[in-house]
Amino acid sequence: MPKTYNIGVEATMEIIGGKWKPIILCHLRKGVMRTGELRRAIPKITQKMLTQQLRELEAAGIVCRTVFQQVPPKVEYSLTDYGESLEGILHQLCVWGEENVERRQDCGEAVKLLQWDK
């Protein structure tokens, strides 16, 4: 029996949905990153969750994992060509979030954004 989606966004969210995947992808669209760099860029994610999310994105063909045979081991992550096709979506999510923070600040909410995409 074929998998059925009611709307295209369901298929998208199955691959990039969740709390951490879009954040990981937004960082990787800026270039190749090592695991430690991703951990520092996303301080609230645990190592276990980062590893799990990266594995799922790799299995979906969105992220490429490159292992260098050296001591200590070196692993780099980057977007595949398929992953780079998400650039427009990821950029729009970042811009919407930035505008949302500005709107909330204008309404007097104490909220700040540490990194801007604009």
Side-chain angles (χ1 to χ4, degrees):
M1 181 118 156
K3 183 156 194 153
T4 303
Y5 300 102
N6 292 308
I7 189 169
V9 74
E10 287 181 56
T12 304
M13 295 306 291
E14 182 176 46
I15 303 298
I16 67 165
K19 180 176 182 177
W20 300 113
K21 287 179 185 173
I23 297 169
I24 292 167
L25 293 171
C26 280
H27 285 290
L28 288 178
R29 73 191 178 104
K30 296 174 186 173
V32 175
M33 295 182 81
R34 295 178 67 180
T35 308
E37 292 172 317
L38 282 165
R39 281 276 289 130
R40 285 188 293 281
I42 314 168
K44 293 185 179 180
I45 194 170
T46 65
Q47 182 63 49
K48 178 182 176 185
M49 182 58 67
L50 177 60
T51 300
Q52 177 185 331
Q53 299 294 285
L54 286 167
R55 284 183 182 154
E56 289 176 12
L57 289 166
E58 182 183 12
I62 303 295
V63 167
C64 176
R65 178 177 186 259
T66 305
V67 180
F68 297 89
Q69 299 300 322
Q70 63 185 49
V71 177
K74 178 180 172 183
V75 179
E76 292 182 341
Y77 293 92
S78 60
L79 294 179
T80 62
D81 289 342
Y82 184 46
E84 287 179 5
S85 71
L86 293 164
E87 167 63 32
I89 294 167
L90 296 170
H91 177 72
Q92 287 301 314
L93 285 171
C94 290
V95 169
W96 188 92
E98 291 165 1
E99 291 171 352
N100 176 263
V101 167
E102 288 176 343
R103 179 179 170 272
R104 292 163 58 191
Q105 288 171 336
D106 291 345
C107 291
E109 186 176 343
V111 61
K112 66 180 179 178
L113 182 61
L114 298 176
Q115 294 183 27
W116 292 82
D117 196 60
K118 290 181 183 177

